[in-house]
Every structure is written in structure tokens, then in C-alpha cells.
Amino acid sequence: MEKPFLVMVGVLIFMVFTVSIHYFTFDEKGANDSLSMVVEATQMAQPSWSVSYYEPRMFSSSNINNISYPEMLSTDRMDFVYVK
Amino acid sequence: MSSKSFLDKPFFGSPFFFFLTLEFFKERKKHIGVVVISLVILFLLSSVLFISSSIRYSIEQTLDKEPDFVVQKIQGGERVNAPAEWIDPLLEIYGINKVTARVYGRYFFKAKRDSFLIVGVDFMDEQSHKTLESIMDETDLKSFLSSDNMLVGEGVSIYLKEHFYPNHYSFLTPKGDFKKINIFKVLPKESNLIANDMIILPMDLAKEVLGMGEDEVTDIALNVPNDDEWDNVADKISAFYYDLRVVTKHDIKKAYENLYNYKGGVFLILFLIAIVTFVLILYQRYAMVYSSERRHIGLLRALGWSIRDVLKLKFFETIIIVIISFIVGVVLAYFYVFVLGAPLLKEIFLGGANMKNSLVLVPVLDFGVLSSIFLIYAVPFIAAVLIPVWKISVTDPKEAML
Amino acid sequence: MISIENLNRYFKSGDTSFHVLKDINLEVLEGECVVLRGVSGSGKTTLLSIMAGLDRPSSGKLLVDGESIAKLPDLHISAFRAKKIGIIFQHFNLLEHLSASENVMIPLIPSELNMTEVAQRVKRSLEIANISHKATRPAGRLSGGEKQRVAIARALVADPSVILCDEPTANLDRDNSLKFIDILKDLHNMGKTIIVATHDPLFDNLSFASRIVPMQDGSIVSKEQGVGSSE
Ligand SMILES: Nc1ncnc2c1ncn2[C@@H]1O[C@H](COP(=O)(O)OP(=O)(O)O)[C@@H](O)[C@H]1O
Ligand SMILES: [Mg+2]
């Protein structure tokens, strides 16, 4: 049973190895540059949340009242009831 | 299994190692359940942490390109469009070096179900000009500005294609006219985190589509290079008008830090669920070891094994199980998140109410978090096996005789 | 070799206490073959367990090679068992998912031997027990007699000086029982000290057994009898 064991160890090492290859060869700079380009050109850096029309697309710390669901409106928002 | 035995061709390893692998593989049924459950939990836990740390990392990378301050006009607690005339006085404040008028807003499509983010950019400005060089060269820019064109994020492009607008879209302006604008280029996939639902238009066109007046802007972004001046500048700006709000980058940064912080919110709940599940598995493991291993351990002891020998065997057996489930769980999570792009789970982070975002997640391995997951998993697991084994071992193994 | 003096063993369960072994006195010399004879429940297994260091006496003295093993710490008791004692259990106690040879190697694993030496020893004791031909068969798929012989090989593999057998023929047919007695004879000729606990009358007339010790209700009854004398 040592053989299957060594095979198993080999498979695990191979898995870790492929992950390291992917991790170290990923074009991180390219990805960051693309993001930076958009931010610099538009001066907008809000993540592109996929939100409904009644949820804010943008927020700052003052209007996050639930950090696990930041897009949710706070309950004291009145524009929900009254037309702007 | 194999009909060959160690008698014909002894292995080079130690008898202990031989026996360890033997027990491990021939009794794999005993281990498979616990390995699978641990794998699933470790997979989910690391997937969630990978996604959140990747998004956080990407956002942080853009932080120094973001404006330091945003000045907004407030009316009745709500942001309204600011007058363009605010810009000049701001430029005069000492310490401010760059002021940009931002024009943006959401454009709703089809009964308000979906929306784009329309952003106006001053293409004549040298800065934005230079920035966009990587996707638009000089000639591109000329043809871009010669007619009504837009740059769209990948999500927008896919969405429009699905709704049969492969090359252009006719926006309905608040005045009631249609404005046909051609898709000039799609922004790179790598920028999806921010630009997925974005439509970049020349300033005037954006104002027209959003129904804003010539002398209106959405808000004003400005940079203050010297950090020490920040409070000072913020005070000065606030003193300008009574109906003005200043949002600093610090606020935004704090918001992001809270957002995907694994120490709070959903993550805390997830961690708690994971820990509770682990405890249940371990309890089951503990009970199982206690009942089923009794005879086995008693026999080994009767055959001359000391308590130490038994503990050594069980320890290595457990360590192997722990390491296998950890490595496989984390590696699968890595592939799922960074190679496959975390289908399904991603929606929890980005929402799924609007258009789909197939963002590129930059691989980020937070070794601190990974090692704490390992410890949370491994230490109780090993204890849950070794404690009953030890308890059984120290009693005299007379059951072996019965 | 083994000397037992005024040995008692009580089992406590709740408030009641069972007096299972009562004032046992027994002397077993090196190379002797002793048969502990008695009906089920007379305390034979308990006595063997104590001799093997698997259980401890409640009172009394137990000396093996002049050493009081009941007072030893675990590490020494295990080493003592590994070196000196081979046990053939009533229900064979094989690990069913392992092959015969793998079962036989178990006592050698904590030893310092390397794999080649282990393989040699396992081969030799499989030959003595006459089961070499089934070495790679999983223990779960062996017949009762074959299991018994694997158990013998396992008891022998560490070359112990004392072999303890608990009801060795209880699960065997007459043929296999006689074969077992043959092997026992070989072991006796090799100079092993053998103690057999049994209620099987087959053991009454062993040519090589030096003594039969009758047990009843936890004590050794009457005078020890020589071979051949009736009860
Ligand atoms: N752990 C125990 N607790 C209580 N009584 C026991 C225990 N072990 C054995 N006994 C009792 O000791 C007596 C002798 O048992 P045992 O040594 O197995 O006899 P034998 O092997 O001769 O059949 C039996 O009556 C049995 O019920
Ligand atoms: Mg018995």
C-alpha cells in the first residue's frame, strides 16, 4: 500500500504545484492596470454591484447600515416613500 | 488488492510506515465520510475567503487613483446635481491640485428592471486622454469623437447583444427624443469589477442622455496630494456653501474594509456555521473512535504495542486525513474561484439583480487566513481522535481476550 | 519462569463485587506445557490476561522471570509482552481486512527491525504454523482452521518464550483441533513455555503436557494432576 500512498502524495504535490504556477504566472499587473485605467479616466471607483433600481449603486460609509448587504437601503430612507 | 505481498519484495520504508499506509487504504471506508464533509466545509470556507480577499485586493489597488475628496450638493438629505460654478472657487484653495467635474447617473432599461451606469468623460482633457491610450490611440480617439460613440463595459455589451443591439443603442432622453449611440469599443474584461455596467460617453452626450443642464455636474472630485492638508481642506470646502457635503477617500476606504472583512457580517456567520459543523463532525468522530476502535486498540496493545506506539499510529493516520482534506479543499476552492470564476457564489458578493458580471478575480492567497483555517480544523480534529484513543489505551486491554 | 502467589482478582460493578480469582498459587517452569482445565466461567481467561500483563491482579504476587510485571509502567509492560508473550486468542482476533502475512507482522511493527528482517520472520513463522500458502489471502476469507494457524504464526513471530492459548479449539472441528495439537507439540519441542486454557477433553491426554491444572469457580481445585490421570 505504499505505492498508492506515494501516488496520493504525488497527486497532492501536483495540485499544489499547479496552483502555485497559476498564482505566480497570473497577469496581476495587467488586471490592475485595466482597473486603474477606468478609475483614472472616469474618477469613479465604485464596484459594479448588480443591484435593483431601488438600491443605491453607490454608497459611502455613512449610508451602509448592514455590512453584509451594503446595497440595502437603510430603513430611515424617506425617498422610498416620497417622490424625490 | 494486489496479490503481491511484502514478503516477496520488501519495501524500503520502515515497518511502521508500511503498516500506516496499509491501515489507511484498507480502512478507507472508515475515513471517507469525514473526509468528504470536511472537504465540503473547507471548500466553501476558502472559496468565500478567496472571493472576498480578491475583490478587496482589487479595490485597494485602485485606491490611489481615486479622487481624495468628492464634493456633493445636498438638498433635503439627498444628493442633487451641483452647479458647475462651484469648480473655480475650489481650484483656488491652497493644497488642491486637481479638480474634476463628474457626470454620471443610472440609465434604466425596460421597466426599470436593469440599469447602466452612464459616465461622462472629458476626452479633450490631456489626463484622461493619456489614461485611455491603452485602449484608444490617437486615430481611434478622432473617429470616436467624430460621431456619437460610447465605450461600454463587458456586461453592458453582452446585455445589449442579448436585447438585439449588437452595435448601437438608442437612448431615450428625458426630453423625449431618442439618441442613437454606437458601441465603439468594449472595455477590457479585467476592468469588470468596476466597469461591468458602465457606459463611457463624451461629457456633452452624457449630459444630454441624463437630462442634465449645460452648467450642471453630478458632483466634483478633487485631489489633495498632501495628507496633512486633508482636514484643513475639508473644513475650507465645507465653509463655502451650507448645502454641501464632502466625502473623503478615508470614508470610502473604511467602507470597503468593513465590506468584505472576514471578521464581521456574513463571514462571521459563515465561520460560526463552519465551526459548529466541525464540532458536530468531531463529536461524531469522537464517539466513533470510542466505540469502534476499542477492540482494535486492545488487540494492538495485547500484541505488544505500547500506548505510545498506538498514539503514534493514530496521530499519523489523522494527520494524513487532515492534510489531504485541507489541501484538496483549498486547491479545489482555488480552481473554482480563480480559474472558473466562482459561478453562483460570486452573485452573493456582487448581487444578481442587474446584469451579470463575469469579472476576473485576481488570485490572492491570504496565508494568515489559510493557516488559521488549518488550525481551526486540524487541532480539534486531531484532539477528537487522540483523546479517546489515549483514554482507551491507558486502560488495561483485557477486552482483547474476550 | 512464571510464579503466582496468593493471587486474587475482584471485579467491581456498582455495589457488588465479583471475586473471580481466589487465592491462586501456580508455578510454571521454563519449557513446561500446562493445561488450565475448567468449565466456562471458572476464571481461566482472567488468569491468562493477568499473566500476559493485559489485566492486573487485585492482590497477590505475579513474577515472570523474577520480575513483578503487575507493577511495571506501560512502556515496560508493553516491551515485556512484545518480547516474552505470544497470545492465541479464543476468537483469533485477526484484523479481517488485512492479509494473513500482514496480520502476522503486527507484533513486529514497534520493533527496531527493518522491512527485510520483518519479512524473513513473518515467512518463518508462517512456515512453522503451516499457513505459508495462504499468506496473501485476506484474513476475513480464511476458514476457522486457517485463521487459527495465522493466529499461531502471529503469536510466534516475535519469538516469545511463553505462549498463552485461550480456548484454542473452541471454534475448530476435531480434525483441525488435532492439527493444532501437533503444532503445539512442535512448539513444545522448540522449548517454548506453553499455557493452554481449555474445557476441551482433547487436552486431557497430551503426550507432552507436563501438567493439567483444574480450575473451578476461580480457584485451582485439589492437587494438580499428572498427565493421564482422570478427574
Ligand atoms: N470485567 C468483568 N466484570 C465482571 N465480571 C467479570 C469480568 N470479566 C470476567 N468476569 C467474570 O469472571 C468469571 C470468569 O470469567 P473468565 O475468566 O472469562 O472465565 P473462563 O475463561 O474460564 O470462561 C465469569 O463469571 C465472568 O462473568
Ligand atoms: Mg474464557
Side-chain angles (χ1 to χ4, degrees), chain B residues 41 45 266-279:
Chain B
I41 299 173
L45 209 55
V266 255
F267 300 97
L268 198 64
I269 295 166
L270 191 84
F271 264 123
L272 286 179
I273 292 173
I275 287 173
V276 167
T277 320
F278 272 138
V279 167

Side-chain angles (χ1 to χ4, degrees), chain B residues 169-183:
Chain B
Y169 182 67
S170 293
F171 291 89
L172 180 60
T173 68
K175 282 189 186 135
D177 344 306
F178 282 100
K179 186 84 194 166
K180 185 181 154 192
I181 303 180
N182 296 315
I183 298 176

Side-chain angles (χ1 to χ4, degrees), chain B residues 284-344:
Chain B
Q284 185 264 355
R285 190 80 178 159
Y286 187 96
M288 194 190 82
V289 169
Y290 218 90
S291 62
S292 75
E293 300 281 274
R294 252 198 129 74
R295 261 191 95 71
H296 189 200
I297 293 169
L299 176 65
L300 294 178
R301 301 264 292 119
L303 294 176
W305 288 45
S306 65
I307 295 171
R308 212 162 61 185
D309 297 326
V310 174
L311 285 176
K312 188 172 145 196
L313 180 76
K314 293 294 164 192
F315 174 76
F316 279 104
E317 203 177 283
T318 316
I319 273 280
I320 292 174
I321 292 173
V322 165
I323 289 177
I324 290 176
S325 2
F326 184 74
I327 291 183
V328 174
V330 171
V331 167
L332 286 182
Y334 185 96
F335 271 88
Y336 168 72
V337 172
F338 296 127
V339 179
L340 301 180
L344 298 175

Side-chain angles (χ1 to χ4, degrees), chain A residues 20-78:
Chain A
S20 330
I21 295 240
H22 184 269
Y23 183 69
F24 287 112
T25 58
F26 188 87
D27 181 16
E28 191 183 311
K29 194 174 173 301
N32 288 339
D33 286 351
S34 289
L35 276 179
S36 296
M37 178 195 72
V38 173
V39 172
E40 210 173 346
T42 62
Q43 293 287 299
M44 310 271 294
Q46 299 286 343
S48 178
W49 317 116
S50 191
V51 294
S52 292
Y53 68 91
Y54 51 82
E55 294 171 318
R57 164 69 172 70
M58 314 223 158
F59 58 85
S60 59
S61 63
S62 58
N63 58 20
I64 293 179
N65 64 345
N66 182 347
I67 56 170
S68 65
Y69 185 29
E71 309 87 52
M72 189 170 73
L73 293 177
S74 56
T75 45
D76 56 0
R77 286 272 298 248
M78 297 309 277

Side-chain angles (χ1 to χ4, degrees), chain A residues 2 22 28 43 48 50 55, chain B residues 11 57 102 106 193 350:
Chain A
E2 296 105 323
H22 184 269
E28 191 183 311
Q43 293 287 299
S48 178
S50 191
E55 294 171 318
Chain B
F11 189 70
Y57 170 82
R102 300 203 299 188
R106 282 163 88 182
L193 176 62
L350 298 173

Side-chain angles (χ1 to χ4, degrees), chain B residues 398 402, chain C residues 11 18 20 39-47 166-167:
Chain B
K398 56 175 180 293
L402 304 178
Chain C
F11 283 114
F18 301 96
V20 174
V39 292
S40 175
S42 52
K44 308 181 296 290
T45 302
T46 309
L47 185 55
D166 191 16
E167 310 276 7

